[in-house]
Amino acid sequence: MDFEIVSGDIPSLETECLVVAIEADGALSPAATAADQASNGYLSEILNGGDISGKTAQTLLLHKVPGLTAKRVLLLGVGKEDDRNNRNFRKIIKSAMGVVKSTGISSVTFALDARLTDDADLYRELRHLVEWSGNELYNYDETKSKKADPLKLEQIAIHVSENDSDLAETALLDGTAIVNGTSIARDLGNLPGNICTPTYLAEQALELDDEFDDLTTTIVDEEEMAELGMHCLLSVGNGSEQPSKLIVMEYKGGEEGDKPHVLVGKGITFDTGGISLKPGAGMDEMKYDMCGAASVFGAMTAICEMALPINVVGIVAAAENMPSGHATKPGDIVTTMSGQTVEILNTDAEGRLVLCDALTYAGKFEPASVVDIATLTGACIIALGHHATGILANNDELAAELIQAGEQAEDKGWQLPLWDEFQEQLDSNFADIANIGGRPAGTITAACFLSRFTKEYRWAHLDIAGVAWNSGGKEKGATGRCVPMLTQYLLNQAAEEE
Ligand code: BES
Ligand code: MN
Ligand code: ZN
């Protein structure tokens, strides 16, 4: 989508559809007032007629409004000032885009001017307008024989006052990068397990290397992983015909010696549970078990597009978890790259098994911070539902930075405790550590397992099991979370550097 920032007189804006805000009780926003005056009170007349009251996300499409260059005017309800928050802003954009998509119009100009959120931050408001309108245009048809009709809409313009246009251009660039990154994550998530294999993910990383000069991809294959001692990661792919891959994407936007921020994604391209086989119902959704990896791809793409002046390493631990005669069995003991041994009591707790070796590998970059992202535990859905990412960390400052980034990006996370008390649940009679800790606090014990491998650096774990995709029905599909949170976190790191 072509996004643009425009300024100038409302009545003479050239667009197929001018979108203006109507506030609660039919009050005209400044842009709506300008349009009303140019049309000799045409808009007020309609408002007086009661066709639209200005409630949040209400819409009314008008044609041939006199006195305006715009071909149509979309009146968009933005509600009471008290109700203006990010959540409602998102609903408002969704509703407007619904109208835009259902007509054949090729360009739309948002002249919303009224502050639509409560954080009074114009940059963020404009960025969200780009992100969320762009998100509404996402369409998955990669694996359908009949492709969707090409979108008629070619341009989304955002009207701002001349003084704000520099800020708006930055918001547009960042917003576009985030929506592109989110779409990449959604596409990868939605692809089925027979296409999106570890090898496929590795190929995508090599394509990013081709696309961006500042990004270099290295693929570590099974043989090299064995030499590095990554037997825990390798044990997960034992039952699969698909070779496991450790994918390393190094982005160098900062100075040579700047310590990198490392993102580590769980890339289980299909999770059957292995020998500890999952029940059949809904198992197809375990194609989404690589959504942590997908969010790393999305965030890496976004920071490349924004050319952030920091160093970032994206690592993806990719494997397929299958049962077979070669598969790892409950009770098997493997040695990790760190030297610690693990008793694999349940082969369905495989995410932590691939992540632990990837996290040890991450240490070699002497990172400024390490954040792993994983659809790690069903228990996280019980704890936080489908709204918040679970955040656990060995450093409360880092957890706070991620929570803040989540709020700024409207991609929220909530911290769970990582107290020592929980560590005992992982005791094993036969190895240094067991890979499961029983039913109580499943999300926390999973993070406890990872914490055994992250002692050398500042580390946080994001459990996105509840937020990475929508289940069932028409809305079924990957969400692209938590690309916005990760990208915001890295934007904040870059801002700190300056
Ligand atoms: N990928 C799953 C977690 C998951 C399940 C995410 C359902 C989203 C929806 C993970 O590999 C897993 O199977 N975890 C087990 C761990 C248990 C065996 C300790 C779980 O959550 O049941
Ligand atoms: Mn599993
Ligand atoms: Zn899994």
Side-chain angles (χ1 to χ4, degrees), residues 266 268 271 286 289 348 350-351 375-376:
K266 169 177 172 183
I268 299 297
D271 181 13
M286 280 298 112
D289 213 17
D348 196 13
E350 85 298 338
T375 48
L376 205 63

